[in-house]
Amino acid sequence: MDIDTHPSSLPPQTMLSPSADAQQTVTLDVPVTGMSCASCALRIERSLKRVEGVTEAQVNYGTEQARVVFAPGKTSQARLIEAIRESGYDVALHMETLKIGGMTCASCVARVERALKKVPGVLDAQVNLATEQATISALPDPALRERVVRAVADAGYEVLQEAAGERAADSERERRAAEYARLKRKLVVSAAFALPAFVISMGWIPWANAWPFQARAVVLMLLALPVQLWGGWQFYVGTWKQLRHGSADMNTLIATGTSAAFLFSLVLTFSPHAFHATGAHQAVYYETAAVIITLVLFGRMLEARAKGRTSEAIRALMDLRPGEARVERDGQVLALDPDEVRPGDVVIVRPGERLPVDGVVIDGRSAVDESMLTGESMPVEKGPEDAVVGGTLNRSGSFRYRATRVGSDTVLAQVIRLVEHAQGSKAPVQRLVDRISAVFVPAVIGVSVVTFFVWWLFGPEPALTFAVLNAVAVLIVTCPCALGLATPTAIMVGTGRGAELGVLIKGGEVLEQVGRLRTIVFDKTGTLTKGEPAVTRVLPAEGWAEEQVLRYAASAEERSEHPLGEAILRAARDRGLSLLLAESFTAVPGQGLTAVVDGHGVAVGNCALMEAYAVRLGELAVRAEELQAGGATVAYVAVDGAAAGLVAIADELKEHAAEAVADLKKRGLRVVMLTGDTRRTAEAIARQAGVDDVLAEVQPGEKAAQIVALQKRGQVVAMVGDGINDAPALAQADLGIAMGTGTDVAMEAADITLMRGDVRGVGAAIRLSQATLRTIRQNLFWAFIYNVIGIPIAAGLLYPFNGMLLDPMIASGAMAMSSVSVLTNSLRLRRWKG
């Protein structure tokens, strides 16, 4: 079959539409990437046709589209995408984040997720109550957003319009502030009416106690009415939206509960004997409804303020961008918006200013505060050819630099995207909460109805009063808000605090993976070690001084491009040694080099080079073996055919590497070092670092295979690396940790990125992840315990044993404080110091 000659040639669009038999099958058009020939198309077709429920599959190599006809009852869109990937190809998916308005509790989250996942073309959806955002993964389709907006609206919520970039952050801040101000205003007015109603009801005003029952009831009704209708109006609006779509949420519980208490009291006010043969037990509960609404508003206000504080890390990062950039163009210095800076522009920075974009210093010197990225408080000296990062603060001098990364490509923009992604993600434990939340509110309403009828039919007199109050207490005490906020708020605050300290955690899944870690594998070069060779010892032969040996070696190496030669040159310059004139430079592959330096024949190289020139090493050979046993590479120096000394060169251990390894081992983790070095050199470095297990002589392409081998032994493995060749291993590991001093590829493949090169950050990242996960568990415990204990007590379970009932006002206070306690517990992570 010729793939390119299918009828209609598969039009270049992505859609999910009814097929001819719309009741049984649908047609899905999928954009496929990675095909190189017609046989690729055939391979994908065969893979798709093997999926149960697929009745037809056609793949067009020319348009790079797959058209699949399938029965939704037998398979899913996600399974079809998986089949394409299993055949060795990929699907171009579209990721989008939407701001969702109207959510109040975990039940809302579950409802929005269900609605989004039913949208044709949407493969996955995650909704976060704390950020009020939905992240969808879908097939590219111009009509997708319209379908998504409609689906969200049909579920009783709305997709809010968002500004872009920094304006989005400002808009979000303004929206949060307006919401807080609105709730505060409602709270103050409601409290002004509810408080006197409560005082009168409690009998604390002697002269009011003398009022007739009906007069007292009318006064209480007039005080409660503004609270019920104005203060509680938002609950009625939310309830109506949900009822229109056949569902219920937290607003439904509050509106139903307070309305029941208010209407019950209203009937008693104008018909005192409606429920009782005598007036002996006459009582109205206007103050109960008013106080419940006031307490719920108080909780919502505190919740709104705390929610705003959870996203402060993102706002702080946004605020790091300066308002303008001073750029040299056409001989003029222009004040531009940072978004207008182009790669290659020359940017001028004065003392006290923040850098608008990333770049490389051209001229000038200064100390730059990079703490916003690395968490390191000490300023870093910058000069010509040094890289600088947008958002960092220029402390002292002025300098000019050439822009290399601008707009969304800057390091700061990438960090913001990472943190936003992390804060919008879910931990796997949230799946359990989501399943519970999906049935939580309907179940509570069911318990409330059962409570009402049990008390009405079997309760003591006044049975109806007990039935109403206990049913109201059940509705009011429940805490779906706390359940919905337990996980996302902890993730938001934890990942935000990590960003402040230079630890970027990609998402909630990472946190749970940290808790299961058993083995940490460190790449050696650039991770445990500094990543560049340096002279560690200069041993002169008898009659020679260290400076003489180093000067001759450095003079001979001046024209060499070998890394060891560069290390010798750096050492000479660091000691302030002037170089001698070198001539007749000759490189000897695999051995070293020779040159004529200041009229003397000089040879610098290994033992084989010395043997070739018949140089007797004597005691130097013994010392060389000792240094090599310690992991150093030895370069002998001979002058005029006689040994002058040797230079020991090694990739030195990072300053705090041994401390970091000891800390991890103390926590019960197995530490392994992975390197391509010889076993002898690797074991020497491992001894210095305190690493017990060494995987040496591993080729770059074999690193991922070594991780697989450890995983096959049942170990949950973290990989720490910084180079391009570490990226496959970082991706393969259960947890990838990239040193931010390394490459973008490594950072992209990792689950955690450390923005500075201090290896102690590995332990800090693990501790922060564990602290965040611990906070999530605490939050879930408190959220569940409120409901597990509160609902049975509210239903009157303890009444037969000790006569205890839960007053609806106390129930509302407990409900309001449940969310506040969860948020407050999460906010403790803002003070985490490791």
Side-chain angles (χ1 to χ4, degrees):
M1 181 172 73
D2 185 352
I3 299 300
D4 294 325
T5 59
H6 283 153
S8 80
S9 296
L10 297 181
Q13 62 181 354
T14 305
M15 59 179 286
L16 188 67
S17 58
S19 68
D21 188 355
Q23 306 225 332
Q24 296 179 357
T25 63
V26 292
T27 300
L28 180 69
D29 286 348
V30 184
V32 181
T33 62
M35 291 191 292
S36 58
C37 62
S39 63
C40 299
L42 286 170
R43 192 174 300 117
I44 298 170
E45 276 190 6
R46 286 195 295 268
S47 180
L48 286 169
K49 287 175 179 176
R50 283 197 293 266
V51 176
E52 184 184 2
V54 172
T55 58
E56 184 182 347
Q58 296 180 353
V59 181
N60 189 306
Y61 168 59
T63 61
E64 296 185 317
Q65 294 274 319
R67 172 163 289 176
V68 191
V69 181
F70 68 100
K74 293 184 178 180
T75 190
S76 65
Q77 301 174 63
R79 177 67 191 96
L80 299 176
I81 304 302
E82 184 184 343
I84 293 172
R85 287 174 171 164
E86 285 173 353
S87 63
Y89 304 90
D90 207 350
V91 175
L93 295 181
H94 168 68
M95 299 288 291
E96 187 170 357
T97 300
L98 308 167
K99 198 74 181 175
I100 307 295
M103 295 192 299
T104 58
C105 64
S107 299
C108 301
V109 170
R111 195 167 299 114
V112 175
E113 279 192 356
R114 282 199 305 273
L116 288 171
K117 287 177 180 178
K118 290 178 182 177
V119 174
V122 173
L123 301 176
D124 190 29
Q126 288 193 348
V127 179
N128 188 309
L129 179 62
T131 59
E132 298 175 333
Q133 288 182 332
T135 303
I136 61 171
S137 172
L139 297 170
D141 185 351
L144 177 68
R145 187 176 179 88
E146 182 184 338
R147 292 201 299 269
V148 165
V149 170
R150 194 185 314 122
V152 172
D154 289 344
Y157 306 90
E158 63 176 326
V159 176
L160 303 176
Q161 291 295 322
E162 282 192 277
E166 289 184 57
R167 180 59 197 149
D170 294 339
S171 176
E172 173 70 7
R173 191 180 309 184
E174 290 165 8
R175 192 180 67 80
R176 295 267 192 197
E179 175 69 4
Y180 177 75
R182 184 184 70 82
L183 288 168
K184 185 176 181 180
R185 185 169 59 252
K186 282 206 163 195
L187 172 65
V188 170
V189 174
S190 297
F193 285 95
L195 186 60
F198 179 74
V199 170
I200 291 171
S201 178
M202 291 293 104
W204 295 343
I205 301 178
W207 50 267
N209 294 337
W211 293 348
F213 167 78
Q214 204 157 10
R216 193 161 174 250
V218 169
V219 170
L220 289 172
M221 179 194 71
L222 293 175
L223 286 170
L225 195 61
V227 183
Q228 190 73 34
L229 296 182
W230 185 75
W233 184 249
Q234 66 189 66
F235 306 124
Y236 287 111
V237 170
T239 299
W240 172 243
K241 283 182 179 179
Q242 295 308 310
L243 289 177
R244 282 171 54 209
H245 299 95
S247 58
D249 65 359
M250 188 69 196
N251 292 312
T252 309
L253 301 182
I254 297 167
T256 304
T258 57
S259 296
F262 189 89
L263 293 173
F264 178 77
S265 302
L266 193 65
V267 172
L268 277 179
T269 300
F270 296 102
S271 182
H273 302 289
F275 301 125
H276 307 292
T278 69
H281 297 292
Q282 286 177 332
V284 289
Y285 297 94
Y286 291 117
E287 84 289 347
T288 298
V291 171
I292 286 171
I293 288 174
T294 303
L295 286 172
V296 172
L297 288 172
F298 177 64
R300 290 272 175 99
M301 185 194 73
L302 293 179
E303 189 178 306
R305 185 172 69 175
K307 276 185 182 178
R309 290 167 65 193
T310 58
S311 58
E312 281 182 3
I314 287 286
R315 288 203 297 271
L317 288 170
M318 291 283 195
D319 290 342
L320 290 174
R321 284 192 67 192
E324 66 177 29
R326 299 194 317 122
V327 178
E328 290 183 1
R329 279 189 191 166
D330 303 323
Q332 293 181 307
V333 177
L334 307 175
L336 304 176
D337 186 279
D339 288 330
E340 296 179 77
V341 180
R342 299 191 295 258
D345 278 341
V346 174
V347 183
I348 301 172
V349 184
R350 295 177 295 193
E353 292 182 341
R354 288 197 179 274
L355 281 64
V357 294
D358 299 355
V360 177
V361 177
I362 301 172
D363 56 57
R365 290 191 172 275
S366 182
V368 176
D369 181 353
E370 297 183 335
S371 58
M372 67 92 185
L373 278 179
T374 65
E376 180 58 62
S377 58
M378 291 296 293
V380 181
E381 292 294 326
K382 298 291 183 180
E385 303 303 318
D386 286 337
V388 288
V389 178
T392 55
L393 179 64
N394 181 30
R395 285 289 188 192
S396 51
S398 178
F399 61 88
R400 296 160 69 241
Y401 73 98
R402 191 172 305 283
T404 56
R405 293 184 178 184
V406 299
S408 61
D409 293 329
T410 64
V411 170
L412 178 59
Q414 292 173 32
V415 168
I416 290 171
R417 281 200 300 274
L418 275 171
V419 176
E420 284 178 331
H421 172 76
Q423 294 191 339
S425 69
K426 288 187 176 184
V429 69
Q430 183 69 18
R431 295 189 193 111
L432 171 64
V433 179
D434 290 345
R435 286 197 295 270
I436 293 172
S437 301
V439 297
F440 188 81
V441 172
V444 168
I445 292 174
V447 171
S448 177
V449 170
V450 170
T451 299
F452 176 84
F453 281 108
V454 168
W455 278 93
W456 189 24
L457 296 174
F458 304 108
E461 288 300 328
L464 186 58
T465 301
F466 278 121
V468 170
L469 290 179
N470 290 330
V472 168
V474 169
L475 292 173
I476 298 301
V477 80
T478 50
C479 315
C481 298
L483 284 174
L485 293 169
T487 300
T489 53
I491 291 174
M492 283 184 71
V493 181
T495 54
R497 180 57 180 155
E500 292 172 3
L501 298 174
V503 177
L504 303 182
I505 301 170
K506 275 195 174 176
E509 300 87 350
V510 175
L511 300 172
E512 291 207 16
Q513 202 67 281
V514 168
R516 300 169 50 232
L517 276 184
R518 292 295 174 267
T519 301
I520 295 189
V521 179
F522 282 93
D523 172 59
K524 180 184 79 70
T525 306
T527 305
L528 284 176
T529 65
K530 293 179 179 177
E532 59 178 29
V535 172
T536 56
R537 293 286 302 275
V538 178
L539 293 178
E542 190 175 345
W544 287 84
E546 286 187 25
E547 287 74 10
Q548 287 178 298
V549 174
L550 191 56
R551 179 181 281 114
Y552 273 108
S555 299
E557 294 278 7
E558 188 176 16
R559 292 167 56 191
S560 170
E561 296 179 353
H562 196 282
L564 300 184
E566 292 174 3
I568 292 172
L569 275 168
R570 278 197 306 272
R573 292 189 184 114
D574 290 345
R575 296 193 187 196
L577 301 179
S578 57
L579 302 185
L580 304 170
L581 179 63
E583 301 173 313
S584 305
F585 174 88
T586 304
V588 183
Q591 296 183 8
L593 59 84
T594 63
V596 176
V597 178
D598 196 26
H600 298 279
V602 176
V604 183
N606 58 22
C607 192
L609 183 66
M610 295 300 108
E611 288 177 1
Y613 283 87
V615 177
R616 295 183 179 179
L617 298 175
E619 182 65 23
L620 286 177
V622 177
R623 300 298 302 275
E625 285 189 13
E626 295 172 357
L627 291 167
Q628 287 167 339
T633 299
V634 171
Y636 295 101
V637 182
V639 179
D640 294 332
L646 62 79
V647 180
I649 303 164
D651 184 4
E652 292 182 292
L653 205 63
K654 284 186 176 178
E655 186 179 357
H656 301 290
E659 179 186 340
V661 170
D663 175 60
L664 294 170
K665 290 169 70 175
K666 193 187 303 180
R667 295 178 179 279
L669 295 168
R670 178 191 175 203
V671 181
V672 178
M673 190 180 81
L674 183 65
T675 178
D677 284 348
T678 64
R679 177 155 294 279
R680 185 177 183 182
T681 302
E683 288 179 345
I685 293 292
R687 281 196 299 274
Q688 295 174 39
V691 176
D692 299 324
D693 298 314
V694 178
L695 299 173
E697 300 175 9
V698 178
Q699 296 301 311
E702 298 173 352
K703 289 185 176 182
Q706 293 290 338
I707 301 297
V708 171
L710 291 170
Q711 290 171 326
K712 284 182 177 178
R713 296 177 205 161
Q715 299 181 33
V716 179
V717 181
M719 170 71 190
V720 187
D722 74 331
I724 290 175
N725 59 17
D726 295 327
L730 288 168
Q732 175 60 49
D734 299 291
L735 184 72
I737 303 176
M739 306 296 287
T741 48
T743 66
D744 288 347
V745 177
M747 292 167 65
E748 186 66 28
D751 301 302
I752 296 176
T753 299
L754 309 178
M755 295 306 293
R756 50 178 163 164
D758 191 339
V759 74
R760 290 178 298 179
V762 175
I766 290 173
R767 291 194 298 276
L768 175 59
S769 298
Q770 289 172 338
T772 306
L773 187 58
R774 189 162 54 247
T775 301
I776 289 172
R777 288 170 177 158
Q778 291 167 353
N779 286 350
L780 290 173
F781 170 80
W782 286 112
F784 277 112
I785 208 72
Y786 269 116
N787 292 296
V788 169
I789 294 176
I791 292 175
I793 292 176
L797 193 66
L798 297 180
Y799 185 81
F801 306 102
N802 56 14
M804 178 181 173
L805 290 174
L806 186 63
D807 189 294
M809 288 187 289
I810 296 175
S812 67
M815 184 274 291
M817 294 316 295
S818 66
S819 296
V820 175
S821 65
V822 162
L823 283 159
T824 303
N825 191 44
S826 295
L827 287 170
R828 289 189 308 116
L829 286 168
R830 291 177 64 205
R831 299 190 299 273
W832 186 87
K833 298 194 186 304

